[in-house]
Amino acid sequence: MGDMTNSDFYSKNQRNESSHGGEFGCTMEELRSLMELRGTEAVVKIKETYGDTDAICRRLKTSPVEGLPGTAPDLEKRKQIFGQNFIPPKKPKTFLQLVWEALQDVTLIILEIAAIISLGLSFYHPPGESNEGCATAQGGAEDEGEAEAGWIEGAAILLSVICVVLVTAFNDWSKEKQFRGLQSRIEQEQKFTVVRAGQVVQIPVAEIVVGDIAQVKYGDLLPADGLFIQGNDLKIDESSLTGESDQVRKSVDKDPMLLSGTHVMEGSGRMVVTAVGVNSQTGIIFTLLGAGGEEEEKKDKKGKMQDGNADASQSKAKQQDGAAAMEMQPLKSAEGGDADDKKKANMHKKEKSVLQGKLTKLAVQIGKAGLVMSAITVIILVLYFTVDTFVVNKKPWLPECTPVYVQYFVKFFIIGVTVLVVAVPEGLPLAVTISLAYSVKKMMKDNNLVRHLDACETMGNATAICSDKTGTLTTNRMTVVQAYVGDIHYKEIPDPSSINAKTMELLVHAIAINSAYTTKILPPEKEGALPRQVGNKTECGLLGFVLDLKQDYEPVRAQMPEEKLYKVYTFNSVRKSMSTVIKLPDESFRMYSKGASEIVLKKCCKILNGVGEPRVFRPRDRDEMVKKVIEPMACDGLRTICVAYRDFPSSPEPDWDNENDILNELTCICVVGIEDPVRPEVPEAIRKCQRAGITVRMVTGDNINTARAIAIKCGIIHPGEDFLCLEGKEFNRRIRNEKGEIEQERIDKIWPKLRVLARSSPTDKHTLVKGIIDSTHTEQRQVVAVTGDGTNDGPALKKADVGFAMGIAGTDVAKEASDIILTDDNFSSIVKAVMWGRNVYDSISKFLQFQLTVNVVAVIVAFTGACITQDSPLKAVQMLWVNLIMDTFASLALATEPPTETLLLRKPYGRNKPLISRTMMKNILGHAVYQLTLIFTLLFVGEKMFQIDSGRNAPLHSPPSEHYTIIFNTFVMMQLFNEINARKIHGERNVFDGIFRNPIFCTIVLGTFAIQIVIVQFGGKPFSCSPLQLDQWMWCIFIGLGELVWGQVIATIPTSRLKFLKEAGRLTQKEEIPEEELNEDVEEIDHAERELRRGQILWFRGLNRIQTQIEVVNTFKSGASFQGALRRQSSVTSQSQDVANLSSPSRVSLSNALSSPTSLPPAAAGQG
């Protein structure tokens, strides 16, 4: 059913409807057209067609008081006739689409092209091979083994591309699947209160049917269309449908239309559901989006869907604001595909995540280096061949030899491509994806439901957290612990007998009637547990107080049911109080009020004394009470609530809309102090945050003294420190100029010291978050995380780098605006998110450290080998095996390291900390030196050490030599042991620490080892391997083990001494240097230009030097041929110049060049 397109779904419902039309007094069509009317039109239509809302209820066979009977057959029938409350999701992207998207990756495209060229060339056998007169370079002509195995190379590249693409696509696919699962989880959790058979029950939104009587209250996102039948002071924000930001007041006689997808901003009431699912107003828009969207997508993928809709439904243009409708979509339908569109839209909101920025930059740098390296390889080979053939041996260019020469050049090109392939770290995108996907999965267990993948990594860089108090830092279980009744301040719950009977009766009525009837205290689920609190927690605290006084609120409510309440002023963030008016038996009115004590007491002119009689309460009495009662309570971290009442005469009836006069001249009954205890795990979590360099700020609507007390208990502020606790008013006064505009400089003066913002409005929260993010006060841009639960926290959650919504207390709107949902509403889960975020960053750094070492070594070996012996010691297929293993497997092994507490001991990296730190640079270069030394030793004197035939300059058609196999095997062994070294990137000594906590790592290392044995012993021709003896194997493993020892040696060298090592992969604010600079004259690197200069030139000069030295050794060994002498001559001169460069202080040394900040990464070795 999920796969049904909207239109099928729709037409199916149409058919059902026509066949069943007569069972109810109105058809779906009629109800649908009724819901399209607004305001007075709708009232007139209802009067004309039906009479009134009660008549509609009768036609729908439901009772405004009792609701539906709730029997299964009846519900089933309603679902069949009027449809289900479910909007079929957009089709998810198919696996093939995801594969196609994964193929768009630039590095992969380079590889694909290289592979296809290489495949094509391997099947191209030019004529004239037998032509003896044509020159042959040594080892040049492809022996038949190579010729047979020529296609393997191309195929192997393609295979590795396919692997990467499939893994990426599979990751995306499982991510989408997870997201859909998550979506349906959110949906199942999204419950709504309806009345069935006279019982108030909570049912999943999808179960709502036409005819249900639903109870709506503040913060709800309406799940279906309906007609308002009873309630008080209901105001709705319809901006998601109309785009009008004003709140619309609903009443039975003026505007009874309640539409799905709109938000209840204040008040409460009941509605009869008239349209659900695809027939509700939101559903209609989605149907259009789905149908209009598919053609639209083809025409224009920018998601400007409104245009299409506007044409499609001129009539519904009123409610049509496609963009706004999109916002609430995922909560409604089982909608996952949207996540991606949303992300694209969000990309403007949030810049590319830090890590992606750094990686892209690094990959581009590596790519360029790789291209240059491979180009140079090809050029050198071609020049060497042409000079050797046509200049030295003075061979003429015979026309019949052309195909042969072409074949040589093609072979050189393939060697170049191999260098390039090895240089490109394909494992990078993979490592990132695996690392993120793995983290997200694990974060689910830590109660973090990640909605946007990059939020996970951004969290690791967080420098500030602005947290709510209630429910996040505290348990959100309110209990009254102190009270001031009848002129006495009780420090604990008073004995019921000590309270005057008249006062007691007023108190119980005031609390029972003046609170939402949906708020109750239920018996505990388990023996010995605490009673369950349902509904508004503050009200639960007050009801609990009534129960503690050995009274009961149920009979009072039964006697005065909700329908009989005369008028209700619901709680909102402006009023900070709630009042309910009832009609007494003698026709006079009584209003009960409760709210924040400092606000309600200002409106009191009397107070009940010890015998229950009102006495005068003057402003100076009030000041004294604030000092003696309220401040001491607040300083204990209690929220103070004042309960009061007022009597009105029956005539003249007061003007209820004139709030200022009504909410005045109250009589105070009591003031209670409600405790919301700090969650036991929070102080420790906050301590961890502070140690990790994250500032925690508390933003709350509570009184400043309460807030300060809680902040001290949590450890957000410590007595005696220099910090600010401000109230919202004071905060606004300080950050605005004379004209009332907010000024960034003013915010910059405040935020660094601000720790508590009390009595703050949602706009204050947004202002603070924006102020911190936009601040240039610190050298690093602040990365801010925010928690929110209310409907009005949406803007702040969207503005923050990472928005956390509360899974339990959060309203749907907040969840929609967030990046991560905290399923247990607990602050300590945020700390877990920080840990995972940092772990992602570290995993990728570990992978880079390992990857770049392999690449530097492989590229240098291939490059120098090709240039000196005209034949790379590591064959293309071997290179690719190294590549595949080292990239794909290593990314799996290193990206799945579980996080440890030690991650929280360091400061956040920040936006311009390079990916590759100096320590990592030291490790990469250090290990590269070890590996290169050994490989070149084996290459040139290996045959003597092992007493075997030399593999160098082997005659044509010779089988694979043991010599080269040993080199290949040693190379792989060194990588394997270096993989263990790579587990630590901050220069720790114990690289085995916690290795068994990561089974994936152990499996991969052992698995690679096993496959390597198979390849060497049985790989034969395709892998150019010949089987080795046991002692040779032992040597290979022994050299590999040397890596671990060498790792300890490197760790001993203090990084601070190696000033010349520069980092790479840094995000700078400055623009990159234009490429043209590279082409300027190489020699003129003066002091000033040094920093700007890309290090490439020096990098090649460095390589050149190594190569020259090897040349020299070679020439001595092979007896100085004319060519060798010539070459030596030139190289010695160039070397002496280089030495001069190194020794003169104003020059940049080789290693400096390797990695000056704007230069290539150390991997310059040309990965791409």
Side-chain angles (χ1 to χ4, degrees):
M1 161 135 194
D3 291 341
M4 238 190 249
T5 61
N6 294 348
S7 44
D8 301 346
F9 190 80
Y10 187 58
S11 52
K12 182 169 169 236
N13 278 347
Q14 295 292 51
R15 286 198 298 279
N16 286 345
E17 181 257 324
S18 51
S19 56
H20 289 279
E23 303 208 7
F24 292 95
C26 40
T27 63
M28 184 175 76
E29 252 332 285
E30 292 167 7
L31 288 174
R32 234 179 95 168
S33 53
L34 173 65
M35 290 320 292
E36 279 165 19
L37 302 173
R38 296 283 171 273
T40 40
E41 292 175 32
V43 178
V44 173
K45 171 89 172 163
I46 292 172
K47 275 215 174 66
E48 286 173 2
T49 319
Y50 302 101
D52 60 359
T53 44
D54 285 358
I56 293 183
C57 290
R58 282 196 296 280
R59 288 196 181 197
L60 288 173
K61 300 183 181 170
T62 179
S63 142
V65 183
E66 297 283 310
L68 291 178
T71 56
D74 176 50
L75 296 176
E76 205 38 59
K77 195 162 71 186
R78 286 172 192 273
K79 278 186 189 165
Q80 278 189 336
I81 295 179
F82 297 110
Q84 292 180 315
N85 195 19
F86 160 77
I87 296 176
K90 209 165 68 183
K91 280 208 181 96
K93 286 194 176 132
T94 58
F95 191 68
L96 286 175
Q97 281 170 310
L98 291 170
V99 167
W100 176 243
E101 279 175 19
L103 279 170
Q104 313 294 314
D105 187 54
V106 184
T107 48
L108 292 182
I109 291 174
I110 296 178
L111 278 175
E112 287 153 23
I113 295 171
I116 289 165
I117 293 176
S118 153
L119 264 178
L121 295 175
S122 68
F123 293 123
Y124 163 68
H125 286 301
E129 283 201 26
S130 52
N131 196 318
E132 290 307 317
C134 304
T136 53
Q138 72 184 38
E142 299 199 4
D143 55 61
E144 62 217 22
E146 283 270 302
E148 281 165 20
W151 60 271
I152 292 182
E153 191 173 322
I157 304 179
L158 282 180
L159 190 73
S160 64
V161 169
I162 290 167
C163 279
V164 173
V165 167
L166 288 179
V167 172
T168 318
F170 179 74
N171 262 332
D172 287 344
W173 179 78
S174 61
K175 183 175 88 194
E176 185 143 309
K177 192 162 142 258
Q178 250 175 353
F179 191 84
R180 281 176 185 260
L182 149 75
Q183 216 50 60
S184 55
R185 239 187 80 173
I186 294 179
E187 256 161 51
Q188 287 152 13
E189 280 172 8
Q190 202 191 350
K191 296 235 184 355
F192 210 79
T193 316
V194 297
V195 182
R196 284 197 180 162
Q199 292 292 315
V200 177
V201 288
Q202 285 210 323
I203 58 169
V205 168
E207 295 293 313
I208 293 177
V209 293
V210 170
D212 258 324
I213 302 295
Q215 294 196 341
V216 295
K217 59 181 190 311
Y218 160 77
D220 283 344
L221 183 124
L222 298 183
D225 293 355
L227 295 174
F228 183 55
I229 47 179
Q230 170 268 321
N232 35 59
D233 210 16
L234 188 71
K235 286 191 185 155
I236 305 269
D237 168 14
E238 293 189 347
S239 59
S240 61
L241 286 177
T242 59
E244 299 291 326
S245 55
D246 300 343
Q247 295 177 8
V248 186
R249 201 191 195 106
K250 297 291 178 183
S251 62
V252 182
D253 48 358
K254 294 217 179 60
D255 183 1
M257 310 312 260
L258 298 177
L259 305 173
S260 59
T262 56
H263 302 133
V264 183
M265 296 315 276
E266 56 182 90
S268 60
R270 290 181 170 196
M271 70 171 188
V272 55
V273 176
T274 54
V276 293
V278 277
N279 303 305
S280 66
Q281 292 302 305
T282 315
I284 292 170
I285 290 180
F286 281 143
T287 315
L288 291 170
L289 280 181
E294 279 156 32
E295 292 94 68
E296 282 296 309
E297 264 177 23
K298 292 175 191 127
K299 280 186 286 193
D300 153 308
K301 286 198 171 168
K302 303 242 165 41
K304 294 183 184 146
M305 292 188 171
Q306 288 114 306
D307 320 343
N309 306 341
D311 315 340
S313 69
Q314 218 57 58
S315 62
K316 307 188 185 81
K318 280 189 209 148
Q319 330 84 286
Q320 191 93 359
D321 176 6
M326 289 299 265
E327 281 194 6
M328 45 149 301
Q329 179 158 0
L331 283 167
K332 230 358 168 340
S333 58
E335 176 42 55
D338 234 41
D340 296 334
D341 309 344
K342 246 214 264 60
K343 259 202 205 149
K344 283 175 197 135
N346 283 356
M347 271 320 184
H348 308 298
K349 166 179 88 102
K350 299 197 173 166
E351 36 207 296
K352 220 178 193 180
S353 84
V354 189
L355 186 67
Q356 285 168 330
K358 292 180 181 178
L359 280 175
T360 318
K361 198 159 168 197
L362 193 67
V364 168
Q365 291 175 334
I366 293 175
K368 287 179 187 161
L371 272 172
V372 176
M373 287 296 287
S374 55
I376 291 183
T377 315
V378 173
I379 292 166
I380 290 180
L381 286 170
V382 169
L383 284 178
Y384 184 92
F385 174 75
T386 43
V387 169
D388 193 53
T389 313
F390 303 119
V391 180
V392 182
N393 298 333
K394 302 194 169 51
K395 288 257 172 71
W397 179 297
L398 304 169
E400 65 269 21
C401 290
T402 308
V404 183
Y405 296 145
V406 168
Q407 208 180 355
Y408 279 126
F409 293 149
V410 163
K411 184 188 175 200
F412 299 149
F413 177 74
I414 289 184
I415 292 179
V417 171
T418 310
V419 172
L420 177 64
V421 170
V422 176
V424 177
E426 313 86 301
L428 255 187
L430 196 66
V432 181
T433 325
I434 290 178
S435 184
L436 284 172
Y438 171 76
S439 304
V440 169
K441 217 182 198 121
K442 291 284 194 221
M443 279 167 82
M444 278 290 279
K445 293 201 177 73
D446 285 339
N447 303 310
N448 281 300
L449 216 158
V450 181
R451 293 184 63 231
H452 298 142
L453 261 189
D454 49 355
C456 155
E457 170 259 318
T458 314
M459 216 31 226
N461 282 320
T463 53
I465 298 176
C466 297
S467 170
D468 281 352
K469 174 179 78 71
T470 311
T472 313
L473 299 172
T474 59
T475 53
N476 203 9
R477 196 187 161 79
M478 310 281 186
T479 35
V480 173
V481 290
Q482 295 188 21
Y484 179 87
V485 191
D487 294 340
I488 305 173
H489 184 178
Y490 297 94
K491 292 283 189 184
E492 54 233 16
I493 300 289
D495 189 278
S497 56
S498 65
I499 295 178
N500 175 287
K502 240 195 303 188
T503 311
M504 182 67 95
E505 190 195 0
L506 270 169
L507 178 61
V508 174
H509 276 76
I511 290 174
I513 292 172
N514 186 26
S515 56
Y517 279 34
T518 47
T519 304
K520 330 192 208 351
I521 292 196
L522 302 179
E525 284 174 339
K526 294 195 200 75
E527 282 290 310
L530 293 167
R532 279 182 300 154
Q533 296 187 340
V534 181
N536 179 315
K537 301 296 190 203
T538 312
E539 291 178 352
C540 288
L542 290 167
L543 292 175
F545 179 51
V546 171
L547 298 178
D548 289 341
L549 293 172
K550 309 282 182 283
Q551 306 292 317
D552 192 4
Y553 61 88
E554 288 291 356
V556 179
R557 284 184 171 180
Q559 187 190 335
M560 176 61 66
E562 204 168 357
E563 296 79 61
K564 287 200 191 158
L565 300 180
Y566 197 79
K567 171 96 180 123
V568 178
Y569 299 94
T570 45
F571 181 88
N572 64 24
S573 52
V574 182
R575 281 190 196 127
K576 295 268 187 213
S577 68
M578 169 178 178
S579 316
T580 304
V581 182
I582 57 170
K583 214 170 190 170
L584 296 174
D586 64 356
E587 295 294 309
S588 66
F589 299 100
R590 172 171 289 171
M591 177 179 74
Y592 294 115
S593 243
K594 68 168 193 293
S597 55
E598 60 256 53
I599 288 166
V600 176
L601 277 178
K602 280 198 183 110
K603 298 176 177 167
C604 290
C605 61
K606 298 193 177 122
I607 186 165
L608 294 182
N609 61 16
V611 290
E613 295 299 326
R615 66 172 170 82
V616 178
F617 184 64
R618 292 184 298 273
R620 70 155 187 266
D621 300 333
R622 188 178 69 230
D623 297 341
E624 186 181 3
M625 184 156 167
V626 167
K627 267 204 203 66
K628 295 263 173 70
V629 179
I630 291 174
E631 283 187 354
M633 280 187 187
C635 292
D636 290 342
L638 305 184
R639 306 174 63 170
T640 53
I641 301 278
C642 175
V643 182
Y645 78 102
R646 178 183 178 184
D647 287 329
F648 295 96
S650 54
S651 66
E653 186 174 326
D655 172 12
W656 299 116
D657 287 339
N658 184 348
E659 251 180 73
N660 293 342
D661 291 355
I662 301 284
L663 292 179
N664 224 330
E665 301 182 15
L666 306 175
T667 306
C668 168
I669 304 174
C670 71
V671 172
V672 292
I674 297 185
E675 180 182 44
D676 182 7
V678 171
R679 286 175 179 264
E681 61 277 17
V682 162
E684 174 56 23
I686 287 183
R687 210 166 35 252
K688 281 182 189 161
C689 279
Q690 289 163 341
R691 210 173 38 216
I694 301 168
T695 313
V696 182
R697 295 182 173 82
M698 180 162 101
V699 183
T700 173
D702 256 345
N703 164 331
I704 184 130
N705 294 324
T706 312
R708 189 184 285 122
I710 298 274
I712 289 174
K713 281 186 190 164
C714 293
I716 291 178
I717 53 183
H718 302 288
E721 278 183 357
D722 176 24
F723 54 77
L724 285 173
C725 294
L726 294 180
E727 281 198 334
K729 277 201 191 100
E730 172 66 6
F731 173 68
N732 271 309
R733 198 182 59 67
R734 290 199 189 184
I735 62 171
R736 290 175 193 277
N737 59 16
E738 299 70 50
K739 294 185 196 143
E741 295 159 345
I742 299 173
E743 287 189 355
Q744 186 64 43
E745 304 81 274
R746 289 174 184 242
I747 299 184
D748 286 350
K749 289 201 184 86
I750 296 178
W751 75 256
K753 286 191 178 169
L754 183 69
R755 290 294 175 275
V756 175
L757 186 56
R759 283 269 175 257
S760 70
S761 67
T763 28
D764 296 340
K765 191 179 200 172
H766 181 253
T767 310
L768 176 66
V769 172
K770 185 174 181 314
I772 297 180
I773 289 181
D774 295 346
S775 170
T776 47
H777 183 77
T778 45
E779 75 272 26
Q780 300 273 7
R781 160 162 126 47
Q782 296 280 309
V783 177
V784 184
V786 170
T787 67
D789 53 5
T791 302
N792 34 25
D793 285 330
L797 289 170
K798 271 208 154 70
K799 177 68 193 161
D801 294 286
V802 182
F804 286 92
M806 301 298 147
I808 304 166
T811 55
D812 307 336
V813 189
K815 290 181 187 168
E816 208 19 63
S818 67
D819 300 298
I820 297 180
I821 296 175
L822 292 178
T823 48
D824 62 347
D825 286 16
N826 192 338
F827 184 82
S828 57
S829 305
I830 298 180
V831 182
K832 295 256 178 55
V834 172
M835 209 154 82
W836 277 107
R838 294 187 169 191
N839 192 52
V840 168
Y841 201 95
D842 278 10
S843 300
I844 287 162
S845 292
K846 288 172 191 172
F847 173 70
L848 272 175
Q849 173 173 306
F850 173 70
Q851 172 74 37
L852 295 186
T853 315
V854 179
N855 287 11
V856 169
V857 176
V859 170
I860 293 180
V861 169
F863 178 73
T864 44
C867 298
I868 298 163
T869 64
Q870 250 89 93
D871 183 18
S872 169
L874 295 175
K875 297 290 181 285
V877 181
Q878 294 176 352
M879 285 282 208
L880 284 162
W881 156 242
V882 167
N883 218 17
L884 204 68
I885 284 307
M886 298 314 166
D887 278 12
T888 318
F889 288 6
S891 62
L892 254 178
L894 292 168
T896 51
E897 289 271 314
T900 55
E901 289 283 327
T902 46
L903 287 169
L904 293 175
L905 297 178
R906 61 172 175 73
K907 298 273 176 279
Y909 279 146
R911 286 183 110 69
N912 31 17
K913 159 104 172 43
L915 258 182
I916 297 172
S917 64
R918 210 170 256 179
T919 315
M920 287 166 61
M921 195 56 123
K922 176 182 77 176
N923 292 341
I924 292 172
L925 294 177
H927 287 294
V929 166
Y930 175 83
Q931 297 184 8
L932 286 171
T933 316
L934 280 162
I935 284 179
F936 285 128
T937 312
L938 287 175
L939 181 59
F940 295 111
V941 292
E943 71 273 24
K944 301 198 183 62
M945 291 160 56
F946 289 103
Q947 277 116 35
I948 48 178
D949 298 335
S950 163
R952 289 192 315 284
N953 310 341
L956 294 183
H957 314 311
S958 57
S961 67
E962 284 184 3
H963 183 189
Y964 275 17
T965 309
I966 289 178
I967 294 179
F968 166 57
N969 199 17
T970 311
F971 182 66
V972 173
M973 289 303 126
M974 290 198 288
Q975 301 323 329
L976 270 184
F977 287 103
N978 196 28
E979 197 163 342
I980 300 174
N981 276 332
R983 290 183 66 245
K984 300 288 177 228
I985 50 174
H986 298 298
E988 297 90 333
R989 289 255 172 214
N990 182 4
V991 287
F992 292 103
D993 179 34
I995 194 166
F996 295 114
R997 280 217 313 276
N998 187 359
I1000 303 182
F1001 184 86
C1002 305
T1003 322
I1004 283 179
V1005 171
L1006 296 172
T1008 314
F1009 188 64
I1011 299 176
Q1012 179 63 16
I1013 295 178
V1014 174
I1015 287 182
V1016 169
Q1017 298 304 93
F1018 311 106
K1021 264 279 166 71
F1023 279 99
S1024 323
C1025 287
S1026 78
L1028 298 180
Q1029 264 89 51
L1030 187 64
D1031 61 328
Q1032 293 167 337
W1033 264 101
M1034 283 303 142
W1035 274 107
C1036 293
I1037 295 172
F1038 174 72
I1039 295 176
L1041 275 168
E1043 269 288 2
L1044 293 174
V1045 182
W1046 183 248
Q1048 296 301 317
V1049 174
I1050 294 179
T1052 319
I1053 305 169
T1055 315
S1056 49
R1057 287 289 174 79
L1058 306 172
K1059 280 282 183 286
F1060 56 81
L1061 282 186
K1062 285 289 195 318
E1063 310 98 347
R1066 146 205 310 268
L1067 272 185
T1068 41
Q1069 275 71 25
K1070 300 170 211 60
E1071 276 309 304
E1072 299 239 285
I1073 302 118
E1075 308 296 64
E1076 293 81 66
E1077 283 199 22
L1078 299 185
N1079 311 336
E1080 288 170 357
D1081 192 349
V1082 177
E1083 284 310 306
E1084 304 182 60
I1085 301 183
D1086 66 58
H1087 200 70
E1089 266 182 64
R1090 169 184 358 171
E1091 282 311 304
L1092 295 175
R1093 210 34 110 83
R1094 297 278 170 124
Q1096 284 169 322
I1097 306 122
L1098 293 152
W1099 172 231
F1100 298 129
R1101 194 179 292 160
L1103 281 180
N1104 215 17
R1105 186 166 332 118
I1106 296 174
Q1107 186 197 324
T1108 308
Q1109 288 157 356
I1110 295 166
E1111 282 305 15
V1112 175
V1113 174
N1114 237 4
T1115 343
F1116 279 130
K1117 271 196 358 219
S1118 59
S1121 65
F1122 168 58
Q1123 211 179 323
L1126 255 182
R1127 206 184 292 149
R1128 188 174 358 153
Q1129 191 66 50
S1130 63
S1131 55
V1132 170
T1133 51
S1134 73
Q1135 226 177 331
S1136 55
Q1137 280 169 5
D1138 278 350
V1139 172
N1141 286 353
L1142 278 178
S1143 51
S1144 76
S1146 69
R1147 301 281 180 204
V1148 198
S1149 71
L1150 158 68
S1151 20
N1152 195 350
L1154 276 184
S1155 46
S1156 70
T1158 48
S1159 87
L1160 299 174
Q1167 334 214 327

